[in-house]
Amino acid sequence: MTPAPARRSPWPILVAVALIAGATAAGIGALSLADALTATGLPDPGPATTLGLPFLRAVGEIAAATAVGALLFATFLVPPQESGVLDAAGYRSLRLATVASGVWAVCAALLVPLTISDVSGNPLREHLNPVEIWRVTAAVDTASAWRWTAGLALVVTVVARSVLRWAWTPVLFALSLLTLVPLALTGHSAAGGSHDLATNSLLIHLVAAALWSGGLLALLAHGMRRGEHTDLAARRFSAVALWCFIAMLVSGIINALVRIAPGDLFSTSYGMLVLAKAVALAALGGLGWQQRRSAVAALQRDPDARTPLIRLSTVEALLFAVTFGIAVGLGRTPPPPPARLNPSPVEVALGYDLAGPPTVARILLDWRFDLLFGSAAIIFAAVYLAGVIRLRRRGDAWPVGRTVAWLLGCGLLLFTTSSGMGRYMPAMFSMHMAAHMLLSMLVPILLVLGAPTTLALRALPTAGKGNPPGPREWLLAGLHSRWSRFFTHPVVATVMFVAGFYALYFGGIFDAAVSHHGAHVLMNLHFLMSGYLFYWVVIGIDPTPRSVLPLGKIGMVFASIPLHAFFGVVLMGMATVLGERFYRSLLLPWHTDLLGDQHLGGSIAWAAGEVPLVVVMLALLIQWQRSDRRTSTRLDRAAERDHDADMAAYNAMLDELARRDRTGR
C-alpha cells in the first residue's frame, strides 16, 4: 500500500503558475516591443502598458482556464451526492472556480484601459477616467471584447457563489467556456487574410487549452487535498486531455500556417515563438502520455497512490504556465508581412476572395472547409456510426433509415457551411437566406429522425447501482431536467423557432452583425439549434421530457408555416436593403442589385416552408401508423395470453343487457 501524501493547499502552486505565465509573457513582450512599435507606428505608452498588459492577460488566461477546469471537474469528473447536492470534492472545485472567475473578471476589466493605452500610444494614466473609458471602448474592438469578457466572468462568479446542486454546474461550465469567445475574436487571428480559418482555429485552440490545462490544475488541487474519487477523476480526465491535445495540435498548425510561411519559422521572431510553442506542446503531450502510463495506472491499482500524479501534474502545470506566456507573447509580436500586401475588400472582410458570381459549378465545387460546423458534421457522423457499430457487435439491431437520415443531415450540414454555398453565404443575402433555410429546416429534420439520444442511451453502458454516474446518467439527467422541460414546451419551442427570424432581420440585429465573422457563427448556431428543438418536439423519435398530443404537434407546424410565409413576403416587399453598408463595402462588380438579391432571399424564405411541411406530415403519418400497429399488436398478444378475456367479458355484458330487455328486469 503506497503511503498517502499529506494534505496540502494547492494555492501556492496555482499562484506560481499564474505568476510564471505572466512573467514569461511580459518578458517576451519587452523583447518584441521595438518590432511592435515599428509595425504600428505608435509611440511607446510606457512600461505600465507594455509590461502590464501581457502580464495581466497571461494571469487572466490562467485564471480563466482554472475556472473552466474546476467546473469541468465538479460537473463530470467527480460524482455528486445521491440527493443531487455536490459532495465535498465538487464543492471545493466550485469554490476554486468562483475565485478563478473573479480573478478573470478583474484582469479583463483592467485590460480595458491597458488596451486603450496600447492602441493609442498614450500612457495608462491618461485613460483611467471611467467616463472616458466607457466612451472610447466601443470604438476599440479589442477593448470592447475585454469588457464583454469581464461581464461574462462576473456573471459566472456571482452565480457560482450561490450554487450547491450539481444541476447548475453544467450551466456554469458552459458559461465559463463562453468567457473565452471574445479572446478568439481579437488579435492577429481576427485580422488579415484567411481570418475566418484563423478565428475558428483559435477558438478551438483556446477551448481545448482551457479544458486541458484547467482540468489538470483542478485535478492537481484535488490530489493535493487528498480528495475522494481521485482514481475516477484521473481516468476520466485522461480521456479528455488526449482529445484536447489532438484538437490543440491540429488547430495550432492551421492557425500558424494562416499567419506565417514555413520559410519564416527560423528567420523571424514570430516564427521562433511559434516553434517554441510547438516544442512546449510536444513536451506537454509527452508528459500527458507519461501521466496516462504511470500516474493514472498507479491510481487504478491503488486509489491512495497520489504521489506520481501530484509530481507529474506539478511539472506539467509549470510547463503550461510557460506555454501560456509564450502564447500571449506571440500575440504581442508582429507576424511577418502577408504575401499579398494589397488584398481585395472581399478578402479583408471575409478572409478570402470570390472568383466571380455564384454558379452551379462554384456552389458545388468551390469548397472552403468550415472548421467549426464542418468538423462538427464529421465528428457527429463518426460518433453516431461508432454507436451503431457497438450495437451491432452486441447483437442489437438499429434501423437503417435512422442511420441514413442522420448521415444525410450531417452531410447537408457539411455542404451548407463548407461548399460554395458557405463560401458565398457572408457576401450575398440570397445565399445567406438559402443557407438559413437549410440549417433551420431541413438539416434539423434529418438529424431529429436519426434519433441520436435513443442511440446513445442504448449504446452507452450503465454506471450500475452504487457506482458514480457516467455519460448515460448525465444524458438522462439533462433529458429530465427543468431546463429541458422548459425548452421543449410547444409554445417555447415554436417561439424560439419563429421569433428568431423577425428579431434578427427586422430588429436591427442583422445590420449590426453582418460584418462580423463571430456573428455569422452565432447565427448559424441559432438556426441549427432552434430548428432541432422545434422538430424534436414535433416529429422526434427520441424521448422528450413532456408528452405532446398529435393534434398539438400539427398545431405547432401549421402555426409556424404562415409566419414563415409572411416573413418571406415582407422581405420581398421591402424597399430597404438589410446590411447595405457591408454589402456595398465588398465592391463586388457582379453584385450591385442588392435589393433584387434581397427580394430573391425573401422568395427563398417564402418557398422553403413547403418542403419541411411535406416531410413533417409524412413523418407524422408514418409515426402514427407505426404507433397504431404497435398498439394493435400489443392488444392481440394480450388477447392470446388471457384467451380474449376482454372480448368475452364484453359479449357477456351484451348478453346480460339483452336478457334484462327480454325479462324487463
Side-chain angles (χ1 to χ4, degrees):
M1 192 80 152
T2 304
R7 190 188 304 270
R8 289 183 293 167
S9 171
W11 288 108
I13 291 292
L14 297 177
V15 172
V17 168
L19 292 178
I20 291 172
T24 304
I28 295 174
L31 292 175
S32 62
L33 177 61
D35 292 338
L37 295 178
T38 300
T40 60
L42 296 172
D44 186 352
T49 298
T50 57
L51 299 179
L53 191 152
F55 180 86
L56 276 179
R57 174 160 184 168
V59 170
E61 289 188 14
I62 291 292
T66 303
V68 170
L71 289 168
L72 168 72
F73 194 90
T75 306
F76 300 116
L77 302 188
V78 290
Q81 301 178 58
E82 292 185 3
S83 62
V85 177
L86 293 170
D87 70 349
Y91 180 77
R92 290 194 188 102
S93 293
L94 187 62
R95 296 286 75 82
L96 174 60
T98 303
V99 175
S101 293
V103 174
W104 180 218
V106 171
C107 289
L110 293 175
L111 282 165
V112 173
L114 284 168
T115 299
I116 295 173
S117 170
D118 185 55
V119 300
S120 66
N122 297 323
L124 176 63
R125 62 177 179 272
E126 297 184 11
H127 298 284
L128 297 180
N129 187 327
V131 177
E132 181 190 359
I133 291 176
W134 186 265
R135 179 179 57 83
V136 176
T137 299
V140 181
D141 289 341
T142 307
S144 180
W146 284 120
R147 185 172 63 181
W148 273 101
T149 301
L152 291 171
L154 182 61
V155 170
V156 175
T157 305
V158 172
V159 176
R161 286 286 300 171
S162 58
V163 167
L164 288 176
R165 303 190 67 84
W166 177 86
W168 276 95
T169 55
V171 179
L172 287 171
F173 174 59
L175 286 175
S176 68
L177 289 174
L178 190 61
T179 65
L180 303 175
V181 173
L183 274 178
L185 305 180
T186 61
H188 299 322
S189 295
S194 298
H195 62 76
D196 59 324
L197 291 175
T199 301
N200 290 348
S201 62
L202 180 59
L203 181 59
I204 296 172
H205 199 76
L206 286 173
V207 171
L211 290 173
W212 186 7
S213 61
L216 175 76
L217 292 174
L219 181 62
L220 175 59
H222 183 71
M224 295 179 70
R225 293 182 179 126
R226 296 176 56 190
E228 296 181 354
H229 305 294
T230 304
D231 55 332
L232 173 70
R235 185 174 70 249
R236 288 179 173 178
F237 175 70
S238 179
V240 173
L242 174 62
W243 288 108
C244 288
F245 171 74
I246 295 172
M248 285 187 67
L249 180 65
V250 174
S251 61
I253 291 173
I254 294 173
N255 199 278
L257 291 176
V258 168
R259 296 274 70 85
I260 189 171
D264 294 327
L265 287 173
F266 297 95
S267 59
T268 63
S269 299
Y270 192 88
M272 296 297 289
L273 287 175
V274 170
L275 288 176
K277 187 180 175 184
V279 171
L281 182 59
L284 286 168
L287 282 172
W289 176 80
Q290 186 65 23
Q291 282 269 34
R292 192 185 189 99
R293 183 171 174 269
S294 60
V296 177
L299 280 169
Q300 304 314 305
R301 292 190 299 268
D302 179 6
D304 291 327
R306 296 180 176 88
T307 301
L309 175 71
I310 294 173
R311 182 175 63 249
L312 284 172
S313 296
T314 301
V315 175
E316 194 173 352
L318 295 176
L319 184 55
F320 259 121
V322 176
T323 307
F324 270 65
I326 294 174
V328 173
L330 188 64
R332 298 283 295 166
T333 304
R340 292 182 58 185
L341 296 179
N342 296 308
S344 66
V346 178
E347 187 175 358
V348 172
L350 306 183
Y352 54 86
D353 228 329
L354 296 173
T359 61
V360 174
R362 285 177 179 145
I363 292 174
L364 295 178
L365 303 176
D366 193 7
W367 283 55
R368 184 177 181 84
F369 186 71
D370 189 300
L371 282 178
L372 294 180
F373 294 99
S375 299
I378 294 173
I379 292 171
F380 289 167
V383 172
Y384 190 95
L385 288 176
V388 173
I389 292 172
R390 174 176 288 188
L391 287 184
R392 295 286 175 83
R393 287 177 177 174
R394 202 169 63 194
D396 294 339
W398 182 255
V400 176
R402 296 181 185 180
T403 304
V404 171
W406 180 266
L407 294 180
L408 285 175
C410 292
L412 188 56
L413 174 61
L414 176 64
F415 176 83
T416 304
T417 56
S418 299
S419 69
M421 178 174 289
R423 192 181 186 97
Y424 282 89
M425 176 169 48
M428 300 178 63
F429 186 85
S430 58
M431 297 299 292
H432 167 86
M433 188 56 63
H436 177 167
M437 293 298 107
L438 289 175
L439 290 175
S440 64
M441 292 191 174
L442 193 51
V443 173
I445 290 176
L446 294 170
L447 295 180
V448 162
L449 292 177
T453 304
T454 302
L455 175 63
L457 291 175
R458 290 183 59 185
L460 290 172
T462 58
K465 186 176 181 180
N467 293 326
R472 190 177 188 277
E473 288 69 31
W474 299 332
L475 180 59
L476 284 172
L479 190 63
H480 298 296
S481 67
R482 282 181 289 182
W483 294 100
S484 185
R485 285 187 59 81
F486 173 77
F487 285 111
T488 55
H489 191 285
V491 175
V492 175
T494 305
V495 168
M496 290 184 63
F497 183 54
V498 176
F501 286 76
Y502 291 88
L504 175 63
Y505 297 105
F506 303 147
I509 299 176
F510 185 80
D511 283 327
V514 66
S515 60
H516 300 283
H517 171 73
H520 281 280
V521 172
L522 291 177
M523 282 190 282
N524 291 344
L525 187 62
H526 169 74
F527 299 152
L528 195 61
M529 293 182 66
S530 63
Y532 187 93
L533 180 66
F534 179 81
Y535 290 111
W536 178 29
V537 177
V538 174
I539 59 171
I541 302 170
D542 287 329
T544 56
R546 61 173 72 245
S547 178
V548 181
L549 295 175
L551 190 60
K553 295 180 178 182
I554 294 178
M556 290 176 64
V557 174
F558 280 97
S560 64
I561 295 301
L563 293 172
H564 278 293
F566 180 72
F567 165 77
V569 170
V570 172
L571 278 179
M572 287 189 288
M574 284 182 64
T576 303
V577 177
L578 298 174
E580 180 176 11
R581 178 178 298 179
F582 170 73
Y583 290 132
R584 295 287 184 199
S585 70
L586 299 180
L587 301 179
L588 293 171
W590 43 265
H591 184 46
T592 56
D593 186 9
L594 299 183
L595 190 60
D597 185 67
Q598 181 171 298
H599 290 166
L600 175 60
S603 64
I604 292 173
W606 174 74
E610 302 299 328
V611 175
L613 175 61
V614 174
V615 175
V616 167
M617 295 307 298
L618 284 175
L620 284 175
L621 288 173
I622 293 172
Q623 290 176 12
W624 293 341
Q625 183 183 25
R626 290 177 177 175
S627 177
D628 290 342
R629 190 183 302 126
R630 287 193 297 267
T631 301
S632 177
T633 302
R634 186 174 65 253
L635 293 176
D636 290 343
R637 288 176 179 173
E640 290 177 1
R641 286 195 303 268
D642 57 14
H643 302 288
D644 211 359
D646 290 340
M647 182 60 68
Y650 180 71
N651 290 333
M653 181 192 70
L654 293 179
D655 291 341
E656 177 64 18
L657 291 175
R659 186 188 66 79
R660 290 181 180 180
D661 288 341
R662 287 194 304 270
T663 61
R665 297 194 270 175

